[in-house]
Amino acid sequence: MKKIKLALLFVCLIAFCFVLYKLFLRYEYQKTISSKINASDLVDASCKSINPDKIVYVENLSLDNFTATGMTYDTKSNSFWIADHGTNDFDKLKLIELNDKLDSIVNIVEIENYTNSNSNNLQGITYDKSNDSFWLALGSQIQEINRNGSVINTLKVDKFSDYQFNGICYDESNDTLWVLCFNKYLINVDKKGNVLKIYESNFADQDMICMNNGLIYMTVGADYLGENNYCIAFNPDSEEYAVKYQLLNSYAVEGICFLDNSIYVVNDGMFHNAKIPKTYISIYND
């Protein structure tokens, strides 16, 4: 009888510690939200205000219930892929492949068994040329899918899942992934989910990332009616952030990618009822 009581006491103690741990995580999460940095406060003379040379309206492609999030460039097919979160509950989560001129649909891929729900928050996407696959940031987890939309790998990275995996990009220099959490962190992980590097990144409305010439570029901003939307560059070697561009006429910034001398930024203006209330891609030449 004494052993049973001790066992029950031990179970209760473990449960109590678990509750305290969850409360601590919630406290840290709330503290993180209250200490976010506004990108506009870091703008200096080195920040360039750029206007798009061209705007492509995705609605012209006749896509229904389209809500754009992440964006990536497929070097094998020379095409762009945009993640489609959908607009209604239980919409199928999809990837839309567009040709390199962004004027026609090449393919629409439904992600295996996924619909728009709180547990499957489709955000960032990146092309992995080493596996000819795509990695997705899904809020609480990271998944790799093939070109048919079948899931072939899942990374949970539990320690950081509470901070919401949002942006993701493949680093071909060392065959790893960079993941931007919506709150507090930018992390570098291998393809088994092991965390290699951790950096604090706590900009208000930090969103998607891509890699270009060794730097990580992120879209930041939710000024749907104004011009306080930016692209921030992070140098992993110096661990320094710089507000690189003010993205004019991009009122609902989401995914970003670089190709040759151009910067492509997808905007989800329809969903956010932004100044330009449409889903569109701004193309900037720097």
Side-chain angles (χ1 to χ4, degrees):
M1 190 70 178
K2 186 177 180 181
K3 288 183 178 179
I4 294 175
K5 288 182 178 180
L6 285 174
L8 288 173
L9 181 63
F10 180 74
V11 170
C12 291
L13 181 61
I14 293 296
F16 178 70
C17 290
F18 178 76
V19 170
L20 284 180
Y21 175 69
K22 297 300 287 186
L23 288 173
F24 172 75
L25 289 180
R26 175 54 54 183
Y27 167 76
E28 286 292 304
Y29 180 78
Q30 293 298 330
K31 188 170 69 172
T32 295
I33 292 175
S34 64
S35 61
K36 283 184 174 291
I37 302 166
N38 289 315
S40 57
D41 293 337
L42 300 182
V43 172
D44 58 23
S46 66
C47 175
K48 294 177 65 175
S49 296
I50 53 177
N51 273 296
D53 293 84
K54 183 179 181 181
I55 291 179
V56 176
Y57 294 101
V58 178
E59 66 177 15
N60 294 338
L61 300 175
S62 300
L63 290 167
D64 296 327
N65 295 333
F66 183 72
T67 301
T69 53
M71 182 184 197
T72 192
Y73 187 73
D74 177 350
T75 53
K76 181 177 180 178
S77 298
N78 295 320
S79 58
F80 292 91
W81 292 77
I82 300 175
D84 177 11
H85 188 284
T87 57
N88 303 312
D89 288 345
F90 306 110
D91 278 349
K92 287 285 188 179
L93 301 182
K94 300 187 290 291
L95 303 183
I96 311 299
E97 183 183 9
L98 305 178
N99 68 349
D100 58 354
K101 294 182 174 57
L102 299 171
D103 58 10
S104 67
I105 298 172
V106 177
N107 198 9
I108 297 178
V109 176
E110 290 188 355
I111 302 171
E112 180 183 42
N113 299 324
Y114 276 12
T115 58
N116 179 2
S117 70
N118 290 334
S119 61
N120 296 315
N121 183 17
L122 177 58
Q123 292 296 321
I125 173 177
T126 188
Y127 176 65
D128 180 348
K129 65 186 299 184
S130 69
N131 291 347
D132 189 32
S133 62
F134 299 91
W135 291 89
L136 312 176
L138 293 160
S140 62
Q141 60 185 350
I142 300 159
Q143 290 198 334
E144 182 183 16
I145 65 170
N146 61 22
R147 288 183 176 271
N148 297 320
S150 298
V151 177
I152 55 179
N153 197 358
T154 298
L155 311 179
K156 290 190 178 296
V157 201
D158 291 336
K159 181 180 177 181
F160 295 92
S161 60
D162 284 345
Y163 296 97
Q164 291 296 298
F165 303 132
N166 217 68
I168 188 168
C169 65
Y170 172 68
D171 187 343
E172 63 179 280
S173 70
N174 56 9
D175 196 35
T176 63
L177 300 166
W178 290 90
V179 182
L180 179 67
C181 301
F182 187 71
N183 296 296
K184 196 171 183 178
Y185 293 113
L186 171 68
I187 60 175
N188 184 217
V189 301
D190 66 19
K191 292 180 180 178
K192 294 181 179 179
N194 299 308
V195 179
L196 307 176
K197 296 177 183 178
I198 304 170
Y199 301 97
E200 284 201 8
S201 179
N202 203 30
F203 296 97
D205 302 302
Q206 61 189 24
D207 207 349
M208 302 296 168
I209 56 175
C210 70
M211 214 162 181
N212 187 53
N213 294 328
L215 299 180
I216 298 166
Y217 290 85
M218 68 177 72
T219 52
V220 176
D223 190 2
Y224 302 129
L225 301 177
E227 298 288 4
N228 289 316
N229 300 298
Y230 300 94
C231 175
I232 290 178
F234 174 68
N235 187 326
D237 295 327
S238 65
E239 300 185 19
E240 294 178 337
Y241 292 91
V243 183
K244 190 75 172 177
Y245 302 107
Q246 181 183 22
L247 300 170
L248 301 177
N249 290 301
S250 280
Y251 299 106
V253 294
E254 296 283 346
I256 182 171
C257 60
F258 284 67
L259 181 62
D260 300 325
N261 295 319
S262 296
I263 307 168
Y264 295 76
V265 178
V266 65
N267 288 265
D268 195 18
M270 181 179 66
F271 180 81
H272 293 291
N273 194 25
K275 188 173 181 178
I276 299 179
K278 300 179 179 182
T279 303
Y280 62 98
I281 301 166
S282 299
I283 305 172
Y284 300 89
N285 291 319
D286 181 22

